[in-house]
Amino acid sequence: MAHWNRKHAQAAYVPSLSRTSPPEYSYGAQVLLCEQTDFLLFLKAFSTGTVYYDPAVKIEKASSAKPDIKRRSQFRVAHAGLTQLYQKNETVLLY
């Protein structure tokens, strides 16, 4: 838990939009800055469904005789739920 707290202690969330053909990305001017998380906040958000488990499989060398299969356990949260994971948050407008 201490490692998770250190890893996620401070975060900046920048909204983005993507387009294909050719790939293009644009980033918004509003940035969400978050501080002071706690693993218990994560568990609470998980119990309410704000954070959810997203199991995934990554396959490398798929066309070979022996492909490498790697499990990638990930947790996801919608942008609107990010503030529930932190004790302090601030929206900053960048120009």
Side-chain angles (χ1 to χ4, degrees), residues 40-52 84:
L40 294 176
L41 292 172
F42 171 82
L43 291 177
K44 183 178 177 182
F46 188 75
S47 73
T48 63
T50 301
V51 171
Y52 58 94
Q84 294 180 37

Side-chain angles (χ1 to χ4, degrees), residues 19-35:
R19 295 185 198 170
T20 57
S21 297
E24 292 181 13
Y25 301 93
S26 62
Y27 300 93
Q30 248 184 4
V31 177
L32 178 62
L33 302 177
C34 299
E35 294 181 281

Side-chain angles (χ1 to χ4, degrees), residues 56-92:
V57 176
K58 179 181 178 185
I59 300 175
E60 295 178 349
K61 304 176 199 165
S63 58
S64 72
K66 193 171 182 183
D68 291 330
I69 299 173
K70 299 179 181 182
R71 288 178 180 80
R72 297 188 69 216
S73 299
Q74 300 175 63
F75 293 91
R76 303 216 185 258
V77 60
H79 189 82
L82 287 170
T83 57
Q84 294 180 37
L85 298 173
Y86 297 88
Q87 294 174 14
K88 291 174 58 178
N89 61 79
E90 176 185 6
T91 301
V92 177

Side-chain angles (χ1 to χ4, degrees), residues 3-25:
H3 171 73
W4 190 91
N5 285 344
R6 276 192 313 278
K7 183 178 177 182
H8 300 280
Q10 296 177 320
Y13 298 95
V14 182
S16 64
L17 296 172
S18 64
R19 295 185 198 170
T20 57
S21 297
E24 292 181 13
Y25 301 93

